Amino acid sequence: MTDSSIWLPPVTLTNKGSERRVGVELEFAGLDAGQIIGCVQQQFGGELERRSSFEFSLQNTTLGKFGIELDASYIKAVGALLEESGDLEDEFSIEAVAAELLTKAAEQFVPWELVTPPVLLSDLPQISQLFASLRSAGALGTRNSLRYAFGLHLNPELPATDIDTILSYFRAFLCLYEWIAEQDQIDLTRKLTNYIKHFSKDFIQKVIDARYQPTLAQFIDDYIEDNPTRNRSMDMLPLFAHLDEDRVRSRLDDPRIKARPTLHYRLPNCDIDNLDWNLDQPWQNWLQVERLANDPAWLKQFCDQYRRYLKSFITPFDTEWLKESSKLLQEH
């Protein structure tokens, strides 16, 4: 899918008139840092900055700054201490050997994470091409091993950050969660972890009720009260920290919450070693959220029917709502 127009949502600009951006985070195994760096540099250039054996960045690429790191805070911290304690330029030093062994052991259980800069919507096909290069180099995804609960995270910038826009996008995602999970065939291992836990039935019912018209401060408080964690299928905390950092930090002491004007959509698998998968599949599913969020009458219809459904069924997530939501999408 190289035609950039296929990648575009109904609203492509922010309320300030600039093209919206998207950050992409990909977790995978099968490659070492040098191979990953090579794939990125071959396509985008850039200057390598090595922070440790576990953390690198590529500065001044044609798209901006890329990050490459083993996705485990403990391992990165130990690696940094090892490197501070000795001269790792000496390949025979104790510290160098220890760091190398730690890296090789970690790569068996911890994914490398590739973090793109915020890229323009129209530049997303270039990230899709990078995924293809990583696959050709031997990258492995979610389904390659039971211990690989790897994900793809999308961080779409919102067109605006007023409470009405935020609620529209969040409600659209809640209504389409079952449909997206079915389309993406979310891996069982990932479902069993806490990383992408979905929202409670009571919280969903509260938020999609048309009578729920909170201020931004109230919505942040209500959200954190029910979801005091980053580990949700849609993590709203980075956006909230961007809009009201003091309020978020006063409730949650988690340095991993990075303030930014984006949603943090964590649900999709990383199927990087699947020849039939690339960024376009999960992104096309996300575009349904964009379309629903930007059609007020359609969104109200969805929310009203979902509320009626949730009142009628004890178990909120099953095939019945999947059938109903699929039908609503097909009829529109």
Side-chain angles (χ1 to χ4, degrees):
M1 298 181 68
T2 56
D3 180 0
S4 62
S5 65
I6 298 174
W7 296 77
L8 300 181
V11 179
T12 60
L13 303 180
T14 69
N15 56 358
K16 296 180 180 179
S18 58
E19 185 176 348
R20 291 171 60 195
R21 295 175 179 265
V22 184
V24 180
E25 305 166 40
L26 185 71
E27 300 169 341
F28 57 93
L31 302 178
D32 61 31
Q35 292 171 297
I36 301 167
I37 291 164
C39 287
V40 179
Q41 284 186 317
Q42 183 177 20
Q43 186 171 346
F44 302 111
E47 302 155 8
L48 179 63
E49 180 179 297
R50 181 180 184 275
R51 299 176 185 173
S52 73
S53 297
F54 312 93
E55 192 170 5
F56 307 83
S57 65
L58 280 170
Q59 309 279 351
N60 302 318
T61 77
T62 56
L63 293 182
K65 176 184 172 183
F66 283 79
I68 300 106
E69 60 184 50
L70 272 178
D71 188 20
S73 57
Y74 171 78
I75 292 170
K76 286 186 288 185
V78 171
L81 287 173
L82 283 170
E83 300 204 1
E84 288 172 4
S85 66
D87 182 8
L88 290 186
E89 296 302 317
D90 178 1
E91 63 179 320
F92 298 109
S93 70
I94 294 174
E95 289 82 5
V97 172
E100 178 69 15
L101 289 174
L102 186 58
T103 301
K104 294 303 181 186
E107 287 176 340
Q108 302 304 310
F109 300 98
V110 180
W112 282 101
E113 182 175 32
L114 175 65
V115 181
T116 77
V119 301
L120 297 173
L121 291 169
S122 54
D123 284 335
L124 280 174
Q126 295 187 55
I127 304 302
S128 187
Q129 292 169 20
L130 176 59
F131 283 16
S133 297
L134 292 168
R135 176 168 51 246
S136 296
L140 302 176
T142 310
R143 304 184 198 281
N144 191 267
S145 170
L146 288 175
R147 64 175 184 268
Y148 287 173
F150 301 161
L152 167 71
H153 298 180
L154 300 172
N155 302 281
E157 180 182 15
L158 287 172
T161 54
D162 60 282
I163 184 60
D164 289 340
T165 300
I166 293 169
L167 274 176
S168 292
Y169 273 79
F170 191 54
R171 285 168 169 164
F173 172 73
L174 293 177
C175 288
L176 291 178
Y177 168 82
E178 279 295 304
W179 179 84
I180 294 173
E182 172 67 16
Q183 294 296 308
D184 276 339
Q185 291 292 295
I186 302 303
D187 183 72
L188 178 60
T189 302
R190 297 190 68 235
K191 285 183 177 180
L192 293 176
T193 69
N194 284 324
Y195 297 130
I196 56 170
K197 187 175 180 181
H198 196 47
F199 301 93
S200 70
K201 176 182 176 180
D202 289 345
F203 182 68
I204 294 171
Q205 286 180 301
K206 178 178 184 174
V207 171
I208 65 174
D209 190 333
R211 294 168 296 182
Y212 182 63
Q213 296 293 330
T215 62
L216 176 62
Q218 181 187 344
F219 184 42
I220 293 174
D221 288 343
D222 290 346
Y223 180 95
I224 294 176
E225 181 67 27
D226 204 80
N227 310 281
T229 175
R230 299 166 63 247
N231 294 332
R232 289 291 181 266
S233 52
M234 173 74 78
D235 171 23
M236 301 292 286
L237 295 176
L239 175 63
F240 292 158
H242 170 77
L243 297 172
D244 193 343
E245 186 155 16
D246 289 343
R247 182 175 294 274
V248 174
R249 302 296 179 194
S250 69
R251 300 282 300 277
L252 298 172
D253 182 19
D254 189 341
R256 297 171 300 172
I257 299 171
K258 308 296 184 185
R260 53 182 181 244
T262 72
L263 302 171
H264 186 198
Y265 171 48
R266 299 163 55 92
L267 187 60
N269 299 321
C270 166
D271 280 344
I272 189 71
D273 49 333
N274 178 356
L275 289 172
D276 296 324
W277 182 91
N278 209 312
L279 178 60
D280 57 296
Q281 283 94 336
W283 181 249
Q284 289 301 311
N285 294 334
W286 171 253
L287 287 182
Q288 286 287 23
V289 175
E290 294 270 349
R291 297 179 187 112
L292 182 57
N294 287 284
D295 190 326
W298 192 28
L299 179 58
K300 183 179 185 305
Q301 180 187 9
F302 249 100
C303 287
D304 289 347
Q305 290 196 214
Y306 195 20
R307 281 190 68 233
R308 286 195 292 271
Y309 166 79
L310 290 175
K311 284 184 177 180
S312 303
F313 288 82
I314 298 174
T315 303
F317 312 121
D318 61 25
T319 56
E320 290 305 314
W321 176 245
L322 174 60
K323 292 176 183 176
E324 286 192 43
S325 57
S326 299
K327 182 179 178 181
L328 284 170
L329 288 172
Q330 292 169 1
E331 291 176 347
H332 191 73

